[in-house]
Amino acid sequence: MKRTRKKTMSKTIVNVILAFICLIWLIPTAGLLVSSFRPAVDILQTGWWTVFPHRDYVTQSTITLPKETDLRQPIEVNGEVFDDDQLRIGVTAQDGSRLIWENRRARTIQVQQPDWKVNSNFTLDNYNGVLTGKTFEIMQSDGTVRAQKGEGLSKAFLNTLVVTIPATIIPILIATFAAYAFAWLRFPLRRSMFVAVIMMLVVPLQVALIPILKDYTALGLNGSYLGIWIAHTGFGLPLTIYFMYTFISQLPKDLFESAFMDGASNFTIFTRLILPLSVPAIASIGIFQFLWVWNDYLVSLVFIGSQPDVQVMSMRIAAMVGSRGSDWHLLTAAAFVSMLMPLTVFFALQKYFVRGLLGGSVKG
Amino acid sequence: MLASTPKTSKSRNVAVTLAVVLVNAIIHSGIYLFLRDTNLPSVLYALLAIIWGVLGVYSIYWSFNWAVEQYSDIWKRRIQPFIFVGPAALLLGWLLLIPTLRTLYMSLMDAGTEKFVGLSNYAAIFTNRLLLTALRNNLIWVAFGATACIILGLLIAVLADRSSFEKLAKGIIFMPMAISFVAAGVIWKFIYFYKPGDEQIGLLNAIVVAFGGEAQAFTSMLQPWNNLFLVAILIWMQTGFAMVLFSAALKGVPEDMLEAARIDGAGEIRIFRSIIIPAISGTILSVSTTIVVFTLKIFDVVMVMTGGQYDTEVVATQFYRQFFMYRNAGYGATLAIVLLIAVIPVIIINLRQFRKQGGF
């Protein structure tokens, strides 16, 4: 009896600690999601957490002072005296209410009382702003309207797809052919070639960037889709070969032998037997490669450079962070657009993704 | 096939092979040039590019294999493995092996890669203040970032194993793995955002102000602690990776062993130390290896968050800067080689591990 109570106790403690950690892990992304739907003015003035009920000053009434009030002199409001600076940041009157300028020129003052409040303005404008290249008018905090050209991220989204889909499928195809050869065919240098693959698992790709860039410049591949596919294929191959090798080498041998007896060629065995049997492995490593290419920044930065036609999303967003560091309404929406695809893939295929991690736990 | 004399079949084979190579070269360079110069609507273009990219590679394998199938059996058996493994070998050679050697060579040359300067780039790197800062910061990243990922990953895996919402918790912790570093940069820039005054829109400063503190510019002014605020991002993103692998390893620890220890009266901490840790030591090693290698190469976080300013430069960002901004290929190459040297112990551990697992 005592023991079971102790057990429930410790289980509760475990649950509470874990829930707390999960909350911390979730907050950054949740904050981004909430912010991306808030109007630009709101984002710049209040934190995203104010969309939850919180105590804040809420305007109860406004007082209009006489037009001729001199702002450089002490100002009398409801029998009390304040100066201009106090009213600018807000000052507490004797009855507990807060006084703050609503419009200094019109000489109106807001009388505020603390109360429960929810900032529940939500908008899709931010997403419109980043997805299309149209010009938008944005109401700023001082009431003026500013015209702003949208980011046109949809083109970059398409580019990212064109880069990512082949850069996921091609290395897996090449790696599966190679893994089949390593596992089931006999040829000279097989062993040393495979050890070289294992070693390349951990070679930092920075080591390879400069020479490849030189070759690309000579071949005219810079800034082309083909160039970036080849680069991602090369960098993804070691892990993919290693992963596919461990899977394919564990397939039962008699399977191929009977096929061989029936006169099937290696190519037929590969396409009719190996590929269909490897689907689970291909799925898991495929998700891994997909996320890696989709999220890549360095490789694109080096091989695509400043070619605007082929720029991928990570480059566009990084450029926005640099040039529009405080345009949070655009940054948050853009970041979420770029997360949409990987998060969908992640949640839909989480099971396979985890299996992919367990297969080859070293990524170069 | 048997009927034809060896001589005629040999010349026929050469002709077939040449034809296949030629047809492949013409078709693919033709498509490449067409796609490069065409002005198709972007969706159609994207579709064509994807189809070509994927089918193109398959058709190359298929056509070369078809050519080899025309050979006599003995030659077929000799050449066919190379059709299968060849493209991978060529790509790896071109994109990883040869570049590594070229970079090594370049690291011994001057800025414009024209004059041989021996080891002076290496000497310069270990005396230049900026580059030393980069090396120091990489150490900070590995010491704090990798360690925290491993410890937290293990802790969360153990907790999740005993909790009532294991799947959900693991999904949440794991999720940042799917987010790009650039997007994560935006997320965390917003958390660390600083503006003068009391009304803060960045979460961390809002908390600091709420507890009566003064708002800080976390990623810029607080040197060298600002590096740790960047490291926190890596921890947020990579802990899930460690957790998943540890979690799988924990499930593999035999239940009766734990039960026996409990009956003998061992406490949970004792069980953890003397049974669980030894049982999953292999996984701990491989996870540590991966995370350390990954952390050594860290680039995107720093690039997006600070651009390497405020003494947050790491080796990979310095490498990028030296090569692309200062046009000093010698220094850039040397930095890359320093990174490579740093991962050599990891390569050795990996090869050993692989041999132990009975591969080959």
Side-chain angles (χ1 to χ4, degrees):
Chain A
M1 187 65 203
K2 203 174 165 197
R3 198 181 161 97
T4 42
R5 200 193 300 154
K6 204 172 148 200
K7 229 174 181 173
T8 7
M9 250 313 261
S10 70
K11 184 139 192 170
T12 318
I13 295 174
V14 164
N15 282 340
V16 168
I17 296 177
L18 191 64
F20 180 69
I21 295 176
C22 288
L23 192 69
I24 293 178
W25 243 254
L26 210 51
I27 282 176
T29 324
L32 184 82
L33 180 65
V34 172
S35 297
S36 68
F37 288 108
R38 301 183 71 210
V41 188
D42 284 13
I43 296 183
L44 286 177
Q45 284 177 347
T46 54
W48 58 267
W49 50 90
T50 58
V51 301
F52 299 112
H54 62 286
R55 296 283 281 182
D56 202 352
Y57 286 106
V58 177
T59 305
Q60 304 287 329
S61 58
T62 50
I63 304 171
T64 311
L65 297 178
K67 271 269 178 290
E68 59 280 5
T69 311
D70 185 353
L71 296 182
R72 278 161 296 183
Q73 298 293 325
I75 303 158
E76 199 193 304
V77 187
N78 285 352
E80 286 180 75
V81 176
F82 308 103
D83 64 26
D84 182 33
D85 284 340
Q86 283 178 316
L87 285 170
R88 237 190 258 241
I89 51 172
V91 64
T92 315
Q94 269 163 0
D95 61 353
S97 63
R98 193 168 80 140
L99 303 176
I100 191 168
W101 283 120
E102 182 176 272
N103 189 331
R104 270 173 87 230
R105 203 163 294 164
R107 306 285 192 270
T108 51
I109 290 175
Q110 292 185 344
V111 182
Q112 302 175 325
Q113 288 287 346
D115 200 355
W116 286 100
K117 185 180 168 188
V118 176
N119 284 346
S120 55
N121 288 336
F122 293 109
T123 170
L124 284 173
D125 284 356
N126 303 337
Y127 285 92
N128 269 330
V130 291
L131 285 176
T132 62
K134 277 187 235 142
T135 306
F136 280 84
E137 290 186 335
I138 286 178
M139 181 82 138
Q140 286 185 299
S141 50
D142 54 3
T144 55
V145 171
R146 178 168 60 119
Q148 185 174 55
K149 193 155 167 19
E151 278 292 327
L153 265 193
S154 28
K155 172 76 179 141
F157 192 92
L158 202 63
N159 284 339
T160 318
L161 268 183
V162 179
V163 166
T164 309
I165 294 175
T168 306
I169 298 175
I170 294 173
I172 291 177
L173 191 61
I174 294 179
T176 314
F177 270 109
Y180 172 66
F182 279 129
W184 298 104
L185 304 179
R186 295 288 167 268
F187 55 95
L189 287 180
R190 170 172 154 269
R191 210 186 136 88
S192 34
M193 273 165 91
F194 195 74
V195 169
V197 171
I198 301 283
M199 276 166 65
M200 283 180 211
L201 275 174
V202 282
V203 170
L205 63 88
Q206 278 92 347
V207 174
L209 290 181
I210 302 174
I212 298 177
L213 190 66
K214 281 189 177 164
D215 289 353
Y216 273 20
T217 316
L219 293 170
L221 279 177
N222 261 339
S224 74
Y225 288 129
L226 184 63
I228 191 107
W229 294 340
I230 293 176
H232 278 305
T233 301
F235 298 142
L237 266 183
L239 179 75
T240 325
I241 293 179
Y242 175 63
F243 184 82
M244 291 312 296
Y245 172 81
T246 39
F247 185 85
I248 291 176
S249 65
Q250 279 160 11
L251 293 173
K253 198 175 178 189
D254 11 336
L255 212 67
F256 312 115
E257 272 168 357
S258 55
F260 243 135
M261 297 285 193
D262 295 344
S265 71
N266 275 320
F267 200 76
T268 324
I269 291 178
F270 182 81
T271 48
R272 296 280 162 78
L273 272 176
I274 301 283
L275 275 186
L277 283 175
S278 313
V279 165
I282 289 176
S284 49
I285 194 75
I287 299 160
F288 211 77
Q289 175 79 5
F290 178 89
L291 289 179
W292 189 59
V293 176
W294 186 277
N295 289 337
D296 152 76
Y297 175 52
L298 179 61
V299 176
S300 323
L301 193 61
V302 172
F303 296 122
I304 292 180
S306 52
Q307 293 269 65
D309 284 349
V310 273
Q311 275 197 348
V312 293
M313 251 182 319
S314 56
M315 299 173 72
R316 289 292 299 274
I317 295 168
M320 280 172 73
V321 174
S323 63
R324 306 182 135 174
S326 52
D327 282 349
W328 287 112
H329 58 294
L330 294 180
L331 283 178
T332 49
F336 229 90
V337 169
S338 82
M339 284 158 55
L340 218 58
M341 191 61 121
L343 282 184
T344 313
V345 169
F346 172 77
F347 282 113
L349 305 169
Q350 196 178 0
K351 203 170 61 188
Y352 293 101
F353 186 34
V354 169
R355 209 175 298 157
L357 275 181
L358 298 179
S361 47
V362 173
K363 171 82 174 131
Chain B
M1 210 150 60
L2 286 173
S4 58
T5 64
K7 191 152 186 165
T8 53
S9 90
K10 204 177 255 173
S11 61
R12 203 186 75 119
N13 286 342
V14 172
V16 165
T17 312
L18 276 179
V20 167
V21 173
L22 210 63
V23 168
N24 266 310
I26 292 172
I27 291 181
H28 291 295
S29 55
I31 299 178
Y32 171 68
L33 292 177
F34 168 75
L35 281 178
R36 195 187 63 183
D37 302 327
T38 183
N39 244 335
L40 289 170
S42 49
V43 176
L44 191 64
Y45 183 95
L47 214 61
L48 275 181
I50 289 172
I51 291 173
W52 171 55
V54 174
L55 287 186
V57 172
Y58 185 80
S59 72
I60 290 173
Y61 276 101
W62 182 86
S63 57
F64 274 85
N65 185 70
W66 178 82
V68 171
E69 293 282 340
Q70 312 301 313
Y71 287 27
S72 64
D73 272 357
I74 180 152
W75 280 103
K76 196 171 90 185
R77 202 167 306 142
R78 267 183 214 167
I79 297 176
Q80 209 166 31
F82 291 101
I83 300 285
F84 279 61
V85 89
L90 285 179
L91 279 172
L92 283 177
W94 177 30
L95 296 170
L96 284 171
L97 192 63
I98 295 172
T100 308
L101 301 176
R102 282 167 74 184
T103 301
L104 188 63
Y105 175 71
M106 234 191 292
S107 72
L108 305 173
M109 311 283 278
D110 68 348
T113 57
E114 277 152 5
K115 226 176 70 210
F116 188 78
V117 293
L119 289 175
S120 76
N121 281 332
Y122 290 87
I125 277 183
F126 289 101
T127 49
N128 180 321
R129 195 192 74 85
L130 257 182
L131 302 177
L132 275 180
T133 312
L135 289 174
R136 180 205 70 185
N137 288 345
N138 256 73
L139 276 182
I140 293 183
W141 278 87
V142 172
F144 290 94
T147 318
C149 285
I150 293 158
I151 293 175
L152 261 177
L154 190 54
L155 176 77
I156 296 172
V158 171
L159 287 180
D161 200 31
R162 285 136 207 256
S163 75
S164 359
F165 49 99
E166 183 181 358
K167 274 225 168 95
L168 180 72
K170 277 157 81 175
I172 289 173
I173 305 288
F174 195 45
M175 187 190 66
M177 278 284 291
I179 297 173
S180 72
F181 274 113
V182 176
V186 174
I187 292 179
W188 284 84
K189 263 200 143 166
F190 200 44
I191 288 185
Y192 292 148
F193 191 69
Y194 162 74
K195 65 177 187 181
D198 270 353
E199 183 76 54
Q200 293 291 333
I201 58 169
L203 182 65
L204 199 56
N205 270 321
I207 293 173
V208 168
V209 170
F211 281 99
E214 191 148 325
Q216 302 284 338
F218 292 107
T219 48
S220 55
M221 296 322 288
L222 297 165
Q223 294 164 19
W225 306 111
N226 52 353
N227 281 298
L228 292 183
F229 287 102
L230 302 187
V231 171
I233 306 172
L234 174 95
I235 298 172
W236 179 69
M237 298 191 74
Q238 287 295 309
T239 297
F241 170 82
M243 177 209 62
V244 166
L245 293 168
F246 285 141
S247 179
L250 285 178
K251 301 248 187 286
V253 178
E255 191 62 40
D256 44 346
M257 223 154 97
L258 301 177
E259 216 38 61
R262 277 192 195 112
I263 288 166
D264 289 349
E268 286 297 313
I269 293 172
R270 177 83 202 279
I271 291 177
F272 184 74
R273 256 209 347 249
S274 5
I275 296 180
I276 296 183
I277 293 275
I280 62 168
S281 62
T283 311
I284 295 181
L285 183 72
S286 68
V287 170
S288 314
T289 322
T290 316
I291 293 187
V292 166
V293 171
F294 186 84
T295 313
L296 277 174
K297 297 187 295 188
I298 200 78
F299 172 79
D300 321 42
V301 174
V302 178
M303 210 60 184
V304 178
M305 292 294 291
T306 61
Q309 283 173 295
Y310 320 113
D311 275 358
T312 57
E313 204 85 63
V314 287
V315 172
T317 56
Q318 252 313 316
F319 155 83
Y320 181 81
R321 202 173 302 280
Q322 289 293 343
F323 189 72
F324 291 97
M325 292 174 186
Y326 307 153
R327 300 266 158 218
N328 192 334
Y331 276 9
T334 310
L335 281 167
I337 294 298
V338 168
L339 261 187
L340 180 64
I341 293 170
V343 297
I344 282 180
V346 180
I347 298 180
I348 295 170
I349 293 173
N350 259 297
L351 278 177
R352 243 187 232 157
Q353 184 78 8
F354 182 67
R355 203 169 305 151
K356 221 168 47 190
Q357 282 167 5
F360 272 75

